[in-house]
Amino acid sequence: STRLMAAINAAECLQPYAGSPYVEQIEVAVRAAQAAGKLISDGFNRPKNIDEKKNNADLVTETDKASESVIFGIIRHAYPS
């Protein structure tokens, strides 16, 4: 299954960091990146609504905003203030 593969890939990503004092933070970062990556890949072939961020050369899509929201959500959940 896709979840099993994600778990295996996450474990492989974390293997070089075993014993690191930052392994928990790295795990959170990997989870956030995987969740955002799935959201981005799921939205890849969908029609895009594009907004300008600061100027007409700095564009942002709904998928960009959603993936950023997912990343921040996972980090906030792991480390509430």
Side-chain angles (χ1 to χ4, degrees):
S1 88
T2 304
R3 279 193 150 158
L4 177 59
M5 288 306 296
I8 291 169
N9 291 338
E12 288 175 6
C13 285
L14 295 171
Q15 198 169 28
Y17 303 102
S20 166
Y22 303 107
V23 74
E24 178 185 327
Q25 291 86 352
I26 295 167
E27 287 173 348
V28 171
V30 168
R31 271 198 324 269
Q34 287 177 324
K38 176 160 180 20
L39 193 136
I40 291 166
S41 67
D42 288 350
F44 185 74
N45 291 319
R46 292 189 183 140
K48 310 285 186 272
N49 289 328
I50 301 172
D51 294 326
E52 293 178 7
K53 202 170 183 179
K54 293 179 183 173
N55 58 52
N56 61 0
D58 195 3
L59 305 176
V60 62
T61 66
E62 287 180 5
T63 303
D64 295 328
K65 293 174 185 176
S67 63
E68 182 178 296
S69 178
V70 164
I71 291 168
F72 282 122
I74 289 171
I75 293 169
R76 284 186 188 114
H77 183 268
Y79 303 102
S81 24

